PDB file of all heavy atoms in Angstrom:
ATOM      1  N   VAL A   1       4.413   5.867   0.701  1.00  0.00           N
ATOM      2  CA  VAL A   1       3.631   5.117  -0.292  1.00  0.00           C
ATOM      3  C   VAL A   1       3.649   5.897  -1.654  1.00  0.00           C
ATOM      4  O   VAL A   1       3.542   5.261  -2.685  1.00  0.00           O
ATOM      5  CB  VAL A   1       2.148   4.977   0.185  1.00  0.00           C
ATOM      6  CG1 VAL A   1       1.332   4.184  -0.796  1.00  0.00           C
ATOM      7  CG2 VAL A   1       2.169   4.251   1.529  1.00  0.00           C
ATOM      8  N   HIS A   2       3.818   7.189  -1.589  1.00  0.00           N
ATOM      9  CA  HIS A   2       3.886   7.956  -2.857  1.00  0.00           C
ATOM     10  C   HIS A   2       5.061   7.528  -3.701  1.00  0.00           C
ATOM     11  O   HIS A   2       5.043   7.788  -4.951  1.00  0.00           O
ATOM     12  CB  HIS A   2       3.932   9.453  -2.584  1.00  0.00           C
ATOM     13  CG  HIS A   2       5.272   9.929  -2.107  1.00  0.00           C
ATOM     14  ND1 HIS A   2       5.601   9.988  -0.776  1.00  0.00           N
ATOM     15  CD2 HIS A   2       6.322  10.382  -2.803  1.00  0.00           C
ATOM     16  CE1 HIS A   2       6.854  10.420  -0.635  1.00  0.00           C
ATOM     17  NE2 HIS A   2       7.308  10.702  -1.899  1.00  0.00           N
ATOM     18  N   ALA A   3       6.088   6.950  -3.134  1.00  0.00           N
ATOM     19  CA  ALA A   3       7.331   6.556  -3.874  1.00  0.00           C
ATOM     20  C   ALA A   3       7.171   5.151  -4.510  1.00  0.00           C
ATOM     21  O   ALA A   3       8.054   4.822  -5.299  1.00  0.00           O
ATOM     22  CB  ALA A   3       8.518   6.659  -2.936  1.00  0.00           C
ATOM     23  N   HIS A   4       6.129   4.470  -4.269  1.00  0.00           N
ATOM     24  CA  HIS A   4       5.984   3.109  -4.768  1.00  0.00           C
ATOM     25  C   HIS A   4       5.532   3.255  -6.255  1.00  0.00           C
ATOM     26  O   HIS A   4       4.441   3.786  -6.513  1.00  0.00           O
ATOM     27  CB  HIS A   4       4.970   2.326  -3.986  1.00  0.00           C
ATOM     28  CG  HIS A   4       5.444   1.917  -2.620  1.00  0.00           C
ATOM     29  ND1 HIS A   4       5.677   0.649  -2.236  1.00  0.00           N
ATOM     30  CD2 HIS A   4       5.748   2.700  -1.546  1.00  0.00           C
ATOM     31  CE1 HIS A   4       6.094   0.579  -0.997  1.00  0.00           C
ATOM     32  NE2 HIS A   4       6.152   1.827  -0.565  1.00  0.00           N
ATOM     33  N   LYS A   5       6.319   2.719  -7.153  1.00  0.00           N
ATOM     34  CA  LYS A   5       6.075   2.884  -8.565  1.00  0.00           C
ATOM     35  C   LYS A   5       5.016   1.902  -9.036  1.00  0.00           C
ATOM     36  O   LYS A   5       4.327   2.065 -10.079  1.00  0.00           O
ATOM     37  CB  LYS A   5       7.328   2.632  -9.400  1.00  0.00           C
ATOM     38  CG  LYS A   5       8.333   3.800  -9.219  1.00  0.00           C
ATOM     39  CD  LYS A   5       9.568   3.584 -10.093  1.00  0.00           C
ATOM     40  CE  LYS A   5      10.467   4.720 -10.019  1.00  0.00           C
ATOM     41  NZ  LYS A   5      11.060   4.987  -8.694  1.00  0.00           N
ATOM     42  N   ASP A   6       4.796   0.835  -8.325  1.00  0.00           N
ATOM     43  CA  ASP A   6       3.722  -0.151  -8.604  1.00  0.00           C
ATOM     44  C   ASP A   6       3.156  -0.677  -7.336  1.00  0.00           C
ATOM     45  O   ASP A   6       3.625  -0.278  -6.241  1.00  0.00           O
ATOM     46  CB  ASP A   6       4.246  -1.272  -9.540  1.00  0.00           C
ATOM     47  CG  ASP A   6       5.358  -2.093  -8.878  1.00  0.00           C
ATOM     48  OD1 ASP A   6       5.242  -2.435  -7.673  1.00  0.00           O
ATOM     49  OD2 ASP A   6       6.394  -2.273  -9.543  1.00  0.00           O
ATOM     50  N   ARG A   7       2.210  -1.543  -7.416  1.00  0.00           N
ATOM     51  CA  ARG A   7       1.449  -2.035  -6.215  1.00  0.00           C
ATOM     52  C   ARG A   7       1.899  -3.413  -5.814  1.00  0.00           C
ATOM     53  O   ARG A   7       1.220  -4.079  -4.979  1.00  0.00           O
ATOM     54  CB  ARG A   7      -0.022  -1.947  -6.415  1.00  0.00           C
ATOM     55  CG  ARG A   7      -0.583  -2.585  -7.647  1.00  0.00           C
ATOM     56  CD  ARG A   7      -2.069  -2.392  -7.756  1.00  0.00           C
ATOM     57  NE  ARG A   7      -2.704  -3.013  -6.650  1.00  0.00           N
ATOM     58  CZ  ARG A   7      -3.830  -2.510  -6.020  1.00  0.00           C
ATOM     59  NH1 ARG A   7      -4.378  -1.379  -6.460  1.00  0.00           N
ATOM     60  NH2 ARG A   7      -4.357  -3.112  -5.022  1.00  0.00           N
ATOM     61  N   ARG A   8       2.987  -3.899  -6.330  1.00  0.00           N
ATOM     62  CA  ARG A   8       3.440  -5.240  -6.146  1.00  0.00           C
ATOM     63  C   ARG A   8       3.571  -5.546  -4.585  1.00  0.00           C
ATOM     64  O   ARG A   8       3.004  -6.538  -4.090  1.00  0.00           O
ATOM     65  CB  ARG A   8       4.717  -5.597  -6.829  1.00  0.00           C
ATOM     66  CG  ARG A   8       5.105  -7.053  -6.755  1.00  0.00           C
ATOM     67  CD  ARG A   8       6.447  -7.316  -7.491  1.00  0.00           C
ATOM     68  NE  ARG A   8       7.544  -6.672  -6.780  1.00  0.00           N
ATOM     69  CZ  ARG A   8       8.211  -7.194  -5.733  1.00  0.00           C
ATOM     70  NH1 ARG A   8       7.834  -8.372  -5.233  1.00  0.00           N
ATOM     71  NH2 ARG A   8       9.223  -6.514  -5.171  1.00  0.00           N
ATOM     72  N   LEU A   9       4.415  -4.741  -3.851  1.00  0.00           N
ATOM     73  CA  LEU A   9       4.633  -5.003  -2.474  1.00  0.00           C
ATOM     74  C   LEU A   9       3.290  -4.876  -1.684  1.00  0.00           C
ATOM     75  O   LEU A   9       3.044  -5.703  -0.852  1.00  0.00           O
ATOM     76  CB  LEU A   9       5.650  -4.043  -1.916  1.00  0.00           C
ATOM     77  CG  LEU A   9       6.056  -4.258  -0.461  1.00  0.00           C
ATOM     78  CD1 LEU A   9       6.665  -5.644  -0.233  1.00  0.00           C
ATOM     79  CD2 LEU A   9       7.049  -3.178   0.021  1.00  0.00           C
ATOM     80  N   TYR A  10       2.551  -3.889  -2.012  1.00  0.00           N
ATOM     81  CA  TYR A  10       1.264  -3.727  -1.322  1.00  0.00           C
ATOM     82  C   TYR A  10       0.366  -4.952  -1.552  1.00  0.00           C
ATOM     83  O   TYR A  10      -0.205  -5.477  -0.542  1.00  0.00           O
ATOM     84  CB  TYR A  10       0.513  -2.461  -1.866  1.00  0.00           C
ATOM     85  CG  TYR A  10      -0.928  -2.350  -1.353  1.00  0.00           C
ATOM     86  CD1 TYR A  10      -1.144  -1.744  -0.105  1.00  0.00           C
ATOM     87  CD2 TYR A  10      -1.961  -2.879  -2.072  1.00  0.00           C
ATOM     88  CE1 TYR A  10      -2.471  -1.670   0.365  1.00  0.00           C
ATOM     89  CE2 TYR A  10      -3.275  -2.823  -1.604  1.00  0.00           C
ATOM     90  CZ  TYR A  10      -3.528  -2.213  -0.430  1.00  0.00           C
ATOM     91  OH  TYR A  10      -4.771  -2.158   0.073  1.00  0.00           O
ATOM     92  N   ASP A  11       0.236  -5.415  -2.758  1.00  0.00           N
ATOM     93  CA  ASP A  11      -0.589  -6.557  -3.045  1.00  0.00           C
ATOM     94  C   ASP A  11      -0.092  -7.849  -2.350  1.00  0.00           C
ATOM     95  O   ASP A  11      -0.922  -8.612  -1.820  1.00  0.00           O
ATOM     96  CB  ASP A  11      -0.709  -6.796  -4.562  1.00  0.00           C
ATOM     97  CG  ASP A  11      -1.610  -5.805  -5.244  1.00  0.00           C
ATOM     98  OD1 ASP A  11      -2.393  -5.134  -4.555  1.00  0.00           O
ATOM     99  OD2 ASP A  11      -1.441  -5.649  -6.471  1.00  0.00           O
ATOM    100  N   VAL A  12       1.149  -8.039  -2.344  1.00  0.00           N
ATOM    101  CA  VAL A  12       1.754  -9.252  -1.675  1.00  0.00           C
ATOM    102  C   VAL A  12       1.405  -9.248  -0.221  1.00  0.00           C
ATOM    103  O   VAL A  12       0.912 -10.248   0.378  1.00  0.00           O
ATOM    104  CB  VAL A  12       3.248  -9.351  -1.879  1.00  0.00           C
ATOM    105  CG1 VAL A  12       3.887 -10.426  -0.970  1.00  0.00           C
ATOM    106  CG2 VAL A  12       3.609  -9.707  -3.364  1.00  0.00           C
ATOM    107  N   LEU A  13       1.666  -8.101   0.466  1.00  0.00           N
ATOM    108  CA  LEU A  13       1.366  -7.971   1.905  1.00  0.00           C
ATOM    109  C   LEU A  13      -0.100  -7.990   2.203  1.00  0.00           C
ATOM    110  O   LEU A  13      -0.509  -8.616   3.226  1.00  0.00           O
ATOM    111  CB  LEU A  13       2.044  -6.753   2.456  1.00  0.00           C
ATOM    112  CG  LEU A  13       3.532  -6.733   2.365  1.00  0.00           C
ATOM    113  CD1 LEU A  13       4.168  -5.369   2.710  1.00  0.00           C
ATOM    114  CD2 LEU A  13       4.153  -7.786   3.322  1.00  0.00           C
ATOM    115  N   ASP A  14      -0.917  -7.316   1.372  1.00  0.00           N
ATOM    116  CA  ASP A  14      -2.370  -7.297   1.610  1.00  0.00           C
ATOM    117  C   ASP A  14      -2.985  -8.712   1.524  1.00  0.00           C
ATOM    118  O   ASP A  14      -3.756  -9.081   2.372  1.00  0.00           O
ATOM    119  CB  ASP A  14      -2.996  -6.311   0.584  1.00  0.00           C
ATOM    120  CG  ASP A  14      -4.423  -6.156   0.853  1.00  0.00           C
ATOM    121  OD1 ASP A  14      -4.854  -5.887   1.989  1.00  0.00           O
ATOM    122  OD2 ASP A  14      -5.294  -6.254  -0.110  1.00  0.00           O
ATOM    123  N   THR A  15      -2.636  -9.419   0.456  1.00  0.00           N
ATOM    124  CA  THR A  15      -3.217 -10.722   0.306  1.00  0.00           C
ATOM    125  C   THR A  15      -2.669 -11.703   1.379  1.00  0.00           C
ATOM    126  O   THR A  15      -3.374 -12.654   1.825  1.00  0.00           O
ATOM    127  CB  THR A  15      -2.948 -11.328  -1.076  1.00  0.00           C
ATOM    128  OG1 THR A  15      -1.517 -11.341  -1.360  1.00  0.00           O
ATOM    129  CG2 THR A  15      -3.638 -10.499  -2.188  1.00  0.00           C
ATOM    130  N   ALA A  16      -1.503 -11.468   1.844  1.00  0.00           N
ATOM    131  CA  ALA A  16      -0.850 -12.368   2.858  1.00  0.00           C
ATOM    132  C   ALA A  16      -1.582 -12.203   4.195  1.00  0.00           C
ATOM    133  O   ALA A  16      -1.456 -13.063   5.078  1.00  0.00           O
ATOM    134  CB  ALA A  16       0.610 -12.044   3.068  1.00  0.00           C
ATOM    135  N   MET A  17      -2.379 -11.125   4.401  1.00  0.00           N
ATOM    136  CA  MET A  17      -3.074 -10.898   5.644  1.00  0.00           C
ATOM    137  C   MET A  17      -4.409 -11.700   5.765  1.00  0.00           C
ATOM    138  O   MET A  17      -5.098 -11.611   6.749  1.00  0.00           O
ATOM    139  CB  MET A  17      -3.443  -9.402   5.755  1.00  0.00           C
ATOM    140  CG  MET A  17      -2.291  -8.513   6.027  1.00  0.00           C
ATOM    141  SD  MET A  17      -2.848  -6.792   5.993  1.00  0.00           S
ATOM    142  CE  MET A  17      -1.605  -6.054   7.125  1.00  0.00           C
ATOM    143  N   GLY A  18      -4.769 -12.434   4.720  1.00  0.00           N
ATOM    144  CA  GLY A  18      -6.060 -13.122   4.663  1.00  0.00           C
ATOM    145  C   GLY A  18      -6.340 -14.049   5.777  1.00  0.00           C
ATOM    146  O   GLY A  18      -7.475 -14.292   6.034  1.00  0.00           O
ATOM    147  N   ALA A  19      -5.315 -14.601   6.399  1.00  0.00           N
ATOM    148  CA  ALA A  19      -5.566 -15.592   7.497  1.00  0.00           C
ATOM    149  C   ALA A  19      -5.746 -14.913   8.821  1.00  0.00           C
ATOM    150  O   ALA A  19      -6.059 -15.616   9.848  1.00  0.00           O
ATOM    151  CB  ALA A  19      -4.439 -16.594   7.496  1.00  0.00           C
ATOM    152  N   ARG A  20      -5.604 -13.643   8.905  1.00  0.00           N
ATOM    153  CA  ARG A  20      -5.659 -12.947  10.208  1.00  0.00           C
ATOM    154  C   ARG A  20      -7.095 -12.401  10.425  1.00  0.00           C
ATOM    155  O   ARG A  20      -7.765 -11.991   9.478  1.00  0.00           O
ATOM    156  CB  ARG A  20      -4.684 -11.777  10.231  1.00  0.00           C
ATOM    157  CG  ARG A  20      -3.267 -12.158  10.144  1.00  0.00           C
ATOM    158  CD  ARG A  20      -2.742 -12.890  11.416  1.00  0.00           C
ATOM    159  NE  ARG A  20      -1.311 -13.211  11.327  1.00  0.00           N
ATOM    160  CZ  ARG A  20      -0.624 -13.658  12.309  1.00  0.00           C
ATOM    161  NH1 ARG A  20      -1.176 -13.904  13.519  1.00  0.00           N
ATOM    162  NH2 ARG A  20       0.660 -13.966  12.117  1.00  0.00           N
ATOM    163  N   ARG A  21      -7.525 -12.358  11.707  1.00  0.00           N
ATOM    164  CA  ARG A  21      -8.930 -11.997  12.003  1.00  0.00           C
ATOM    165  C   ARG A  21      -9.130 -10.488  11.860  1.00  0.00           C
ATOM    166  O   ARG A  21     -10.176 -10.006  11.471  1.00  0.00           O
ATOM    167  CB  ARG A  21      -9.241 -12.422  13.432  1.00  0.00           C
ATOM    168  CG  ARG A  21     -10.644 -12.168  13.839  1.00  0.00           C
ATOM    169  CD  ARG A  21     -11.025 -12.974  15.088  1.00  0.00           C
ATOM    170  NE  ARG A  21     -12.428 -12.758  15.454  1.00  0.00           N
ATOM    171  CZ  ARG A  21     -12.834 -12.061  16.501  1.00  0.00           C
ATOM    172  NH1 ARG A  21     -11.875 -11.486  17.330  1.00  0.00           N
ATOM    173  NH2 ARG A  21     -14.101 -11.907  16.823  1.00  0.00           N
ATOM    174  N   GLN A  22      -8.181  -9.679  12.347  1.00  0.00           N
ATOM    175  CA  GLN A  22      -8.269  -8.235  12.278  1.00  0.00           C
ATOM    176  C   GLN A  22      -6.958  -7.628  11.947  1.00  0.00           C
ATOM    177  O   GLN A  22      -6.350  -6.858  12.803  1.00  0.00           O
ATOM    178  CB  GLN A  22      -8.936  -7.639  13.547  1.00  0.00           C
ATOM    179  CG  GLN A  22      -8.224  -7.907  14.801  1.00  0.00           C
ATOM    180  CD  GLN A  22      -8.751  -7.040  15.902  1.00  0.00           C
ATOM    181  OE1 GLN A  22      -9.601  -6.184  15.774  1.00  0.00           O
ATOM    182  NE2 GLN A  22      -8.154  -7.212  17.075  1.00  0.00           N
ATOM    183  N   PRO A  23      -6.444  -7.844  10.769  1.00  0.00           N
ATOM    184  CA  PRO A  23      -5.157  -7.282  10.415  1.00  0.00           C
ATOM    185  C   PRO A  23      -5.272  -5.715  10.209  1.00  0.00           C
ATOM    186  O   PRO A  23      -6.342  -5.221  10.042  1.00  0.00           O
ATOM    187  CB  PRO A  23      -4.771  -7.953   9.083  1.00  0.00           C
ATOM    188  CG  PRO A  23      -6.078  -8.238   8.516  1.00  0.00           C
ATOM    189  CD  PRO A  23      -7.019  -8.577   9.646  1.00  0.00           C
ATOM    190  N   LEU A  24      -4.128  -5.081  10.201  1.00  0.00           N
ATOM    191  CA  LEU A  24      -4.109  -3.618   9.901  1.00  0.00           C
ATOM    192  C   LEU A  24      -3.003  -3.337   8.895  1.00  0.00           C
ATOM    193  O   LEU A  24      -1.839  -3.628   9.106  1.00  0.00           O
ATOM    194  CB  LEU A  24      -3.833  -2.824  11.172  1.00  0.00           C
ATOM    195  CG  LEU A  24      -3.866  -1.305  11.062  1.00  0.00           C
ATOM    196  CD1 LEU A  24      -5.261  -0.809  10.683  1.00  0.00           C
ATOM    197  CD2 LEU A  24      -3.353  -0.604  12.325  1.00  0.00           C
ATOM    198  N   MET A  25      -3.429  -2.656   7.833  1.00  0.00           N
ATOM    199  CA  MET A  25      -2.454  -2.105   6.845  1.00  0.00           C
ATOM    200  C   MET A  25      -2.440  -0.576   7.043  1.00  0.00           C
ATOM    201  O   MET A  25      -3.405   0.111   6.853  1.00  0.00           O
ATOM    202  CB  MET A  25      -2.954  -2.433   5.405  1.00  0.00           C
ATOM    203  CG  MET A  25      -2.122  -1.780   4.334  1.00  0.00           C
ATOM    204  SD  MET A  25      -0.559  -2.552   4.007  1.00  0.00           S
ATOM    205  CE  MET A  25      -1.056  -4.009   3.140  1.00  0.00           C
ATOM    206  N   TYR A  26      -1.298  -0.052   7.505  1.00  0.00           N
ATOM    207  CA  TYR A  26      -1.142   1.291   7.839  1.00  0.00           C
ATOM    208  C   TYR A  26      -0.236   1.966   6.822  1.00  0.00           C
ATOM    209  O   TYR A  26       0.962   1.705   6.876  1.00  0.00           O
ATOM    210  CB  TYR A  26      -0.590   1.442   9.260  1.00  0.00           C
ATOM    211  CG  TYR A  26      -0.528   2.873   9.812  1.00  0.00           C
ATOM    212  CD1 TYR A  26      -1.726   3.557  10.138  1.00  0.00           C
ATOM    213  CD2 TYR A  26       0.667   3.535  10.065  1.00  0.00           C
ATOM    214  CE1 TYR A  26      -1.644   4.857  10.641  1.00  0.00           C
ATOM    215  CE2 TYR A  26       0.670   4.785  10.510  1.00  0.00           C
ATOM    216  CZ  TYR A  26      -0.432   5.440  10.872  1.00  0.00           C
ATOM    217  OH  TYR A  26      -0.443   6.728  11.291  1.00  0.00           O
ATOM    218  N   LEU A  27      -0.761   2.750   5.967  1.00  0.00           N
ATOM    219  CA  LEU A  27      -0.025   3.438   4.871  1.00  0.00           C
ATOM    220  C   LEU A  27       0.329   4.847   5.226  1.00  0.00           C
ATOM    221  O   LEU A  27      -0.521   5.629   5.581  1.00  0.00           O
ATOM    222  CB  LEU A  27      -0.836   3.396   3.532  1.00  0.00           C
ATOM    223  CG  LEU A  27      -1.478   2.115   3.180  1.00  0.00           C
ATOM    224  CD1 LEU A  27      -2.453   2.267   2.018  1.00  0.00           C
ATOM    225  CD2 LEU A  27      -0.425   1.048   2.781  1.00  0.00           C
ATOM    226  N   ILE A  28       1.607   5.206   5.198  1.00  0.00           N
ATOM    227  CA  ILE A  28       2.026   6.544   5.570  1.00  0.00           C
ATOM    228  C   ILE A  28       2.736   7.164   4.411  1.00  0.00           C
ATOM    229  O   ILE A  28       3.455   6.520   3.694  1.00  0.00           O
ATOM    230  CB  ILE A  28       2.871   6.577   6.950  1.00  0.00           C
ATOM    231  CG1 ILE A  28       4.157   5.729   6.760  1.00  0.00           C
ATOM    232  CG2 ILE A  28       2.047   6.182   8.063  1.00  0.00           C
ATOM    233  CD1 ILE A  28       5.035   5.810   7.979  1.00  0.00           C
ATOM    234  N   SER A  29       2.601   8.475   4.365  1.00  0.00           N
ATOM    235  CA  SER A  29       3.269   9.183   3.251  1.00  0.00           C
ATOM    236  C   SER A  29       3.251  10.699   3.440  1.00  0.00           C
ATOM    237  O   SER A  29       2.337  11.217   4.038  1.00  0.00           O
ATOM    238  CB  SER A  29       2.623   8.804   1.908  1.00  0.00           C
ATOM    239  OG  SER A  29       3.424   9.213   0.798  1.00  0.00           O
ATOM    240  N   THR A  30       4.282  11.325   2.879  1.00  0.00           N
ATOM    241  CA  THR A  30       4.164  12.754   2.643  1.00  0.00           C
ATOM    242  C   THR A  30       3.578  12.868   1.201  1.00  0.00           C
ATOM    243  O   THR A  30       3.358  11.894   0.535  1.00  0.00           O
ATOM    244  CB  THR A  30       5.572  13.427   2.723  1.00  0.00           C
ATOM    245  OG1 THR A  30       6.413  12.706   1.820  1.00  0.00           O
ATOM    246  CG2 THR A  30       6.069  13.369   4.131  1.00  0.00           C
ATOM    247  N   ALA A  31       3.338  14.042   0.786  1.00  0.00           N
ATOM    248  CA  ALA A  31       2.817  14.311  -0.550  1.00  0.00           C
ATOM    249  C   ALA A  31       3.875  13.998  -1.582  1.00  0.00           C
ATOM    250  O   ALA A  31       5.073  14.149  -1.343  1.00  0.00           O
ATOM    251  CB  ALA A  31       2.316  15.679  -0.709  1.00  0.00           C
ATOM    252  N   GLY A  32       3.478  13.545  -2.738  1.00  0.00           N
ATOM    253  CA  GLY A  32       4.412  13.234  -3.839  1.00  0.00           C
ATOM    254  C   GLY A  32       3.853  13.667  -5.153  1.00  0.00           C
ATOM    255  O   GLY A  32       2.843  14.449  -5.185  1.00  0.00           O
ATOM    256  N   PHE A  33       4.528  13.321  -6.230  1.00  0.00           N
ATOM    257  CA  PHE A  33       4.134  13.759  -7.603  1.00  0.00           C
ATOM    258  C   PHE A  33       3.567  12.705  -8.526  1.00  0.00           C
ATOM    259  O   PHE A  33       3.087  12.980  -9.545  1.00  0.00           O
ATOM    260  CB  PHE A  33       5.366  14.414  -8.291  1.00  0.00           C
ATOM    261  CG  PHE A  33       5.895  15.597  -7.503  1.00  0.00           C
ATOM    262  CD1 PHE A  33       6.953  15.510  -6.649  1.00  0.00           C
ATOM    263  CD2 PHE A  33       5.214  16.847  -7.662  1.00  0.00           C
ATOM    264  CE1 PHE A  33       7.447  16.626  -5.989  1.00  0.00           C
ATOM    265  CE2 PHE A  33       5.683  17.965  -6.950  1.00  0.00           C
ATOM    266  CZ  PHE A  33       6.838  17.857  -6.120  1.00  0.00           C
ATOM    267  N   ASN A  34       3.647  11.402  -8.013  1.00  0.00           N
ATOM    268  CA  ASN A  34       3.193  10.292  -8.843  1.00  0.00           C
ATOM    269  C   ASN A  34       1.718  10.217  -8.755  1.00  0.00           C
ATOM    270  O   ASN A  34       1.150   9.798  -7.701  1.00  0.00           O
ATOM    271  CB  ASN A  34       3.881   9.027  -8.364  1.00  0.00           C
ATOM    272  CG  ASN A  34       3.464   7.820  -9.190  1.00  0.00           C
ATOM    273  OD1 ASN A  34       2.745   7.921 -10.198  1.00  0.00           O
ATOM    274  ND2 ASN A  34       3.870   6.622  -8.784  1.00  0.00           N
ATOM    275  N   LYS A  35       0.987  10.502  -9.798  1.00  0.00           N
ATOM    276  CA  LYS A  35      -0.426  10.475  -9.834  1.00  0.00           C
ATOM    277  C   LYS A  35      -0.988   9.166 -10.373  1.00  0.00           C
ATOM    278  O   LYS A  35      -2.249   9.002 -10.569  1.00  0.00           O
ATOM    279  CB  LYS A  35      -1.014  11.640 -10.594  1.00  0.00           C
ATOM    280  CG  LYS A  35      -0.745  13.012  -9.904  1.00  0.00           C
ATOM    281  CD  LYS A  35      -1.430  14.115 -10.624  1.00  0.00           C
ATOM    282  CE  LYS A  35      -1.198  15.425  -9.908  1.00  0.00           C
ATOM    283  NZ  LYS A  35      -1.887  16.567 -10.516  1.00  0.00           N
ATOM    284  N   ASN A  36      -0.102   8.221 -10.674  1.00  0.00           N
ATOM    285  CA  ASN A  36      -0.522   6.946 -11.209  1.00  0.00           C
ATOM    286  C   ASN A  36      -0.283   5.713 -10.283  1.00  0.00           C
ATOM    287  O   ASN A  36      -0.541   4.580 -10.651  1.00  0.00           O
ATOM    288  CB  ASN A  36       0.142   6.747 -12.511  1.00  0.00           C
ATOM    289  CG  ASN A  36      -0.209   7.776 -13.569  1.00  0.00           C
ATOM    290  OD1 ASN A  36      -1.369   8.077 -13.750  1.00  0.00           O
ATOM    291  ND2 ASN A  36       0.852   8.329 -14.181  1.00  0.00           N
ATOM    292  N   GLY A  37       0.258   6.018  -9.145  1.00  0.00           N
ATOM    293  CA  GLY A  37       0.661   4.881  -8.248  1.00  0.00           C
ATOM    294  C   GLY A  37      -0.430   4.475  -7.229  1.00  0.00           C
ATOM    295  O   GLY A  37      -1.536   4.986  -7.260  1.00  0.00           O
ATOM    296  N   ILE A  38      -0.055   3.586  -6.347  1.00  0.00           N
ATOM    297  CA  ILE A  38      -0.939   3.032  -5.346  1.00  0.00           C
ATOM    298  C   ILE A  38      -1.374   4.142  -4.368  1.00  0.00           C
ATOM    299  O   ILE A  38      -2.516   4.122  -3.885  1.00  0.00           O
ATOM    300  CB  ILE A  38      -0.241   1.815  -4.595  1.00  0.00           C
ATOM    301  CG1 ILE A  38      -1.190   1.207  -3.533  1.00  0.00           C
ATOM    302  CG2 ILE A  38       1.051   2.268  -3.921  1.00  0.00           C
ATOM    303  CD1 ILE A  38      -2.304   0.454  -4.100  1.00  0.00           C
ATOM    304  N   CYS A  39      -0.512   5.095  -4.139  1.00  0.00           N
ATOM    305  CA  CYS A  39      -0.875   6.164  -3.207  1.00  0.00           C
ATOM    306  C   CYS A  39      -2.111   6.973  -3.664  1.00  0.00           C
ATOM    307  O   CYS A  39      -3.010   7.200  -2.980  1.00  0.00           O
ATOM    308  CB  CYS A  39       0.345   7.053  -2.991  1.00  0.00           C
ATOM    309  SG  CYS A  39       0.111   8.269  -1.696  1.00  0.00           S
ATOM    310  N   MET A  40      -1.990   7.444  -4.938  1.00  0.00           N
ATOM    311  CA  MET A  40      -3.114   8.167  -5.532  1.00  0.00           C
ATOM    312  C   MET A  40      -4.384   7.348  -5.653  1.00  0.00           C
ATOM    313  O   MET A  40      -5.493   7.825  -5.405  1.00  0.00           O
ATOM    314  CB  MET A  40      -2.681   8.717  -6.899  1.00  0.00           C
ATOM    315  CG  MET A  40      -3.625   9.817  -7.431  1.00  0.00           C
ATOM    316  SD  MET A  40      -3.501  11.251  -6.353  1.00  0.00           S
ATOM    317  CE  MET A  40      -4.681  12.361  -7.119  1.00  0.00           C
ATOM    318  N   GLU A  41      -4.187   6.064  -5.941  1.00  0.00           N
ATOM    319  CA  GLU A  41      -5.317   5.141  -6.029  1.00  0.00           C
ATOM    320  C   GLU A  41      -6.067   5.031  -4.683  1.00  0.00           C
ATOM    321  O   GLU A  41      -7.277   5.126  -4.608  1.00  0.00           O
ATOM    322  CB  GLU A  41      -4.830   3.810  -6.502  1.00  0.00           C
ATOM    323  CG  GLU A  41      -5.917   2.742  -6.654  1.00  0.00           C
ATOM    324  CD  GLU A  41      -5.358   1.410  -7.033  1.00  0.00           C
ATOM    325  OE1 GLU A  41      -4.298   1.395  -7.710  1.00  0.00           O
ATOM    326  OE2 GLU A  41      -5.967   0.393  -6.667  1.00  0.00           O
TER     327      GLU A  41
END
């Protein structure tokens, strides 16, 4: 997730889960240097 420069893919997948009763978004990452991306958020 630290390598994602923007949140586009996250947002598309997150909003697509709206019809599920108990979806799971599992974000995995090693540490990175981008302090402005979705990972730091």
